């Protein structure tokens, strides 16, 4: 550096630099302030202070980097969905065949599918007919359309649950908190008929009544069915329906890390190999005698 | 500062092989044979290789050249410059200065090629899975595949009856053949048929005939248990099929198509 | 070590054809071993949680 700037006075360069730096810093502070104000204004519009944020729960699939979903819990969660949630909520993107070799055997899944009636057709006479469900059928919709659903639920539309964990901020933590978070409304909040107070629901007033109580379901594997156990299992089930390839993806992550690091190491060696000539090159300088 | 002067034996003083190897920052000076001073050093190991060039001397003199009756080329020997250690860029095998590079040649190459090969191999595995993923997006999706297979319970079909089910948008005939029908179709002379196929090639179990119910003529749906041969009859242009689904009379060129199927217990899985 | 490396070079990498062959064989072996070992590690981490660990309860 000193060689390059030999003819220039050092202080003048530093002076210019200082001015530039101070301008940059002051500009940065102002910019950050404006951005922060914009964010703050935006947040205040969301009225997020009325909503309780769910805590992070220790789900099995979150405890380790390569953990799968707890499939026994997912299976129980299917039972909870079928016996409780399915009364109002559809899952129109999930088919019975997806249960096979994930939570149920093929025979069990066929038996589950056969419990529903599916409108099929037209037959030879051009009429629609009802038949028992097959593996290729999807979970039944409790209402024929959205209007019917709203009419039956005080104007509120029970959302489809296929991807609900992905579709809600907070994911399975939110759904779990919502299912177990029903309380009495605090003073100052009026709850109309057909509405319930839930601090985790944005706005606090939800049209869904508390659905999970202790022992409303009898698990076929004998697990004690406390309300929080039911909520945990159904959240695991909803997580699985939202990301049916979750387990496979975890295995793939492991493989990608192994192959990626091998490729990285080889690239790193290749870079060193290619650059070693330049890096170990000797460059000599001869100072030219300046004539004063 | 080193300066070395060599005199030609016979042609001196007219021809001088003169060379200078000068330390860093040395002042250039015209040095002649006549100007030799106490700085004149001639190494004991200094041996001419040929008339025109000299080699490294004692690891100190870096360049020697020749000129006629004048000062030769001057290069710097750099013996006073500290050369940084490049050991981080050198392999273990090359750190011993007494070893010739030829001795460690295969060793060094092997490692570099090993790294190259492992890069290529892992990349190949990676590329394979990426390509497989990309190609599999063109394969039918699972919901389509789930619809492509149907299961039919066979014990619900009485003997001599024909069941029509829908399979991939086409009617599928499942016929419970009687012993008399089986006997009759087996006795048919295959060489007399338009599309010669023996009966046992068209069925997997004698009792069950499973064919796609689309006439091979123009695609109408034949009617079961009608026609001259007791099998199927196409009402559009009058093609007669027998109880093995073979064309026997009429315009159709081929027998009714047999789909892939297999028996699982008392059900048949078609697709 | 040095002997091993030079043998490796002379046997595998001296010719382009053997180099390519080595790469393909290496890719096959590498895929097999990585698939097998990651699956084993994965099953060990998640023992008792996957469908294959619980399906014996439901199969007749």
């Amino acid at each position: 550096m000193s060689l390059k700037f030999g003819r220039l006075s050092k202080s003048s360069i530093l002076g210019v630099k200082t001015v530039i730096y101070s301008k940059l810093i002051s500009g940065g502070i102002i910019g950050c302030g404006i951005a922060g104000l914009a964010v703050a204004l935006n947040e205040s519009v969301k009225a997020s202070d009325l909503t309780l944020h769910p805590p992070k729960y220790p789900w099995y699939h979150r405890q380790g980097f390569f953990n799968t979903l707890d499939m026994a819990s997912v299976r129980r969660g299917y039972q909870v969905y079928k016996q409780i949630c399915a009364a109002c909520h559809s899952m129109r993107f999930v088919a019975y065949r997806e249960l096979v070799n994930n939570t149920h055997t093929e025979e069990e899944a066929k038996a589950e599918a056969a419990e529903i009636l599916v409108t099929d057709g037209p037959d030879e006479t051009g009429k629609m007919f009802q038949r028992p469900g097959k593996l290729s059928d999807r979970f039944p919709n409790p209402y024929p359309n959205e209007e019917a659903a709203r009419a039956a639920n005080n104007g509120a539309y029970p959302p489809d649950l296929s991807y609900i964990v992905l579709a809600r901020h907070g994911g399975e933590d939110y759904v779990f908190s919502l299912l177990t978070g029903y309380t009495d409304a605090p003073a100052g909040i009026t709850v109309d008929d057909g509405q319930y107070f839930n601090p985790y629901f944005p706005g606090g007033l939800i049209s869904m009544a508390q659905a999970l109580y202790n022992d409303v379901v009898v698990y076929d594997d004998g697990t004690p069915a406390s309300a929080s156990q039911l909520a945990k299992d159904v959240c695991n089930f909803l997580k699985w329906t939202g990301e049916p390839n979750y387990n496979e993806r975890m295995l793939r992550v492991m493989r990608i890390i192994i192959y990626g690091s091998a490729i990285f190491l080889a690239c790193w060696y290749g870079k060193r190999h290619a650059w070693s000539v330049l890096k170990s090159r000797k460059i000599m300088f001869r100072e030219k005698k300046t004539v004063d | 500062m080193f300066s070395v002067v060599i005199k030609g034996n016979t042609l001196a003083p007219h021809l001088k092989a003169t060379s200078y190897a000068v330390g860093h920052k040395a002042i250039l000076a015209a040095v002649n044979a006549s100007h030799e001073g106490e700085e004149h050093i001639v190494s004991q190991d200094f041996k001419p290789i040929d008339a025109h060039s000299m080699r490294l001397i004692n690891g100190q003199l870096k360049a020697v050249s020749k000129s006629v009756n004048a000062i030769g080329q001057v290069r710097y020997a750099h013996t006073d410059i500290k050369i940084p250690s490049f050991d981080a860029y050198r392999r273990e095998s090359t750190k011993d200065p007494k070893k010739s590079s030829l001795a460690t040649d295969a060793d060094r190459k092997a490692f570099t090629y090993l790294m190259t090969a492992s890069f290529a191999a892992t990349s190949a595995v990676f590329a394979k899975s990426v390509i497989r993923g990309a190609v599999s997006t063109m394969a039918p999706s699972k919901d389509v595949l789930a619809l492509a297979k149907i299961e039919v319970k066979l014990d619900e079909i009485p003997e001599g009856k024909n069941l029509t089910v829908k399979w991939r948008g086409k009617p599928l005939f499942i016929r419970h053949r009687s012993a008399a029908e089986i006997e009759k179709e087996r006795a048919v002379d295959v060489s007399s048929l338009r599309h010669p196929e023996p009966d046992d090639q068209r069925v997997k179990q004698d009792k069950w005939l499973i064919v796609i119910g689309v006439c091979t003529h123009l695609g109408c749906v034949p009617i079961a248990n009608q026609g001259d041969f007791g099998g199927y009859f196409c009402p559009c242009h009058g093609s007669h099929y027998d109880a093995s689904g073979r064309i026997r009379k009429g315009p159709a060129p081929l027998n009714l198509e047999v789909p892939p199927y297999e028996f699982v217990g008392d059900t048949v899985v078609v697709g | 070590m040095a002997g091993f490396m030079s043998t490796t070079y002379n046997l595998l990498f001296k010719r382009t054809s053997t180099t390519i062959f080595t790469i393909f064989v290496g890719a096959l072996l590498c895929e097999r071993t990585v698939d097998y070992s990651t699956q084993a590690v994965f099953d060990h981490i998640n023992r008792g949680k996957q469908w294959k660990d619980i399906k014996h309860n439901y199969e007749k």
Side-chain angles (χ1 to χ4, degrees), chain A residues 97 110 122 124 136 138 256 259 262-263 265-267 269 272-273 276 279-282 284-286, chain B residues 24 76 78 81 83 86 88-89 91 111-112 115 118-119 122-123 125-126 142-143 146-147 151 164 166:
Chain A
R97 64 185 157 77
K110 272 181 188 165
E124 293 92 346
S136 55
R138 301 197 166 163
I256 285 175
Y259 286 124
I263 289 174
L265 279 176
C267 286
Y269 174 80
R272 267 179 74 89
H273 184 77
S276 61
K279 288 270 193 175
S280 58
R281 191 170 55 172
K282 294 171 228 174
M284 306 300 173
F285 291 100
R286 181 163 61 95
Chain B
H24 186 56
Y76 295 98
H78 313 307
I81 285 185
I83 294 167
F86 291 124
Y89 280 89
R91 288 169 218 275
F111 190 71
T112 299
M115 292 307 268
S118 59
F119 173 74
T122 40
S123 306
V125 175
F126 214 89
K142 277 183 185 166
D143 58 335
L147 285 174
E151 260 178 52
T164 309
K166 225 178 201 178

Side-chain angles (χ1 to χ4, degrees), chain B residues 22 35 71 76 83 86 97 101 133 135 146 148 150 155 179 250:
Chain B
V22 188
H35 289 137
I71 306 162
Y76 295 98
I83 294 167
F86 291 124
S101 71
V135 170
I150 57 162
D155 51 5

Side-chain angles (χ1 to χ4, degrees), chain B residues 186-201:
Chain B
R186 285 197 154 179
V188 169
D189 179 16
V190 175
S191 60
S192 71
L193 296 173
R194 181 180 298 166
H195 181 187
E197 273 182 317
D199 184 57
D200 54 0
Q201 272 183 24

Side-chain angles (χ1 to χ4, degrees), chain A residues 151-170:
Chain A
N153 288 290
N154 244 338
Y157 177 52
D160 187 271
L161 294 185
S162 310
Y163 298 106
I164 200 76
V165 162
L166 299 179
R168 289 293 177 273
H169 183 73

